[in-house]
Amino acid sequence: MSTDKTTASGDDGDVEIDAAEEQALRERIEELEESIADLEGGDDQQKMTIVATQGSFDMAYPPLILASTAAAFGWDVVVFHTFWGLDILHEEKSKKLKLSAVGNPNMPVPNAVAALPGMDTMATKMMQKRIDDNGTATIEELIDLSLESGVDLQACQMTIELMDYDEDDFYDGVTTGVGAATAIQHMAESDVQLLV
């Protein structure tokens, strides 16, 4: 003779539990244990989001160096390029980025001299020579390294349209069609958020 009820002992005496109820409780306990295990194990991968807004020669380096370094440590990295920062990912424009001499407090010349025609070109050539002499990677090499390391280099769709760029103008591997909402979502999930 089979029964559909189980008797359980408790502090208040014997309690009868329906077999279907008992099975449902066991399944729920298993689900909760799995959820706790997932939370405890978790995703240990750290996340970083960098927003690159400046497209001058000297400002192309920080987001790419930080992104490729973090990726080398196994981080999930997104660099969202918007406004002038988009030129870093533009194949043609990235090769013509200039270092601005005017308003740069670290330039060894006063602003009146820095504003003279040709000073930006001269400052850029001086910095390129230092980079070459030091064996530092070029912007193009850092873009390649970042992409190879799994960095998601994103081009802001609104800025692409604003600047009248074509999606084919960017390096292969660059993610286009990304909006601010997607960038914000990654920022919200990130351990580190930087604005460059």
Side-chain angles (χ1 to χ4, degrees), residues 102-143:
V102 176
N104 188 335
N106 293 321
M107 290 301 284
V109 295
N111 277 338
V113 175
L116 292 173
M119 287 300 290
D120 286 351
T121 301
M122 187 178 81
T124 302
K125 286 185 179 185
M126 287 173 57
M127 186 57 130
Q128 283 174 328
K129 183 176 179 346
R130 279 191 163 193
I131 286 168
D132 292 342
D133 292 348
N134 192 46
T136 303
T138 65
I139 293 168
E140 188 173 6
E141 289 170 337
L142 285 171
I143 288 170

Side-chain angles (χ1 to χ4, degrees), residues 17-136:
I17 301 173
D18 184 357
E21 229 178 287
E22 179 182 359
Q23 183 59 31
L25 284 172
R26 288 183 188 279
E27 289 172 5
R28 181 67 181 135
I29 289 169
E30 284 178 26
E31 286 175 21
L32 291 170
E33 286 174 345
E34 286 175 15
S35 295
I36 290 169
D38 288 344
L39 289 174
E40 288 174 351
D43 182 8
D44 290 340
Q45 186 179 33
Q46 292 182 290
K47 290 185 177 186
M48 175 187 281
T49 303
I50 301 171
V51 179
T53 62
Q54 299 182 43
S56 61
F57 181 77
D58 53 328
M59 292 309 293
Y61 278 86
L64 295 172
I65 290 170
L66 290 167
S68 59
T69 302
F73 284 109
W75 287 42
D76 172 16
V77 184
V78 166
V79 185
F80 181 73
H81 293 78
T82 188
F83 283 84
W84 303 120
L86 195 58
D87 287 350
I88 298 167
L89 302 179
H90 192 284
E91 272 192 276
E92 186 180 316
K93 292 189 179 283
S94 68
K95 294 176 176 106
K96 298 176 185 175
L97 298 178
K98 299 250 191 255
L99 178 101
S100 178
V102 176
N104 188 335
N106 293 321
M107 290 301 284
V109 295
N111 277 338
V113 175
L116 292 173
M119 287 300 290
D120 286 351
T121 301
M122 187 178 81
T124 302
K125 286 185 179 185
M126 287 173 57
M127 186 57 130
Q128 283 174 328
K129 183 176 179 346
R130 279 191 163 193
I131 286 168
D132 292 342
D133 292 348
N134 192 46
T136 303

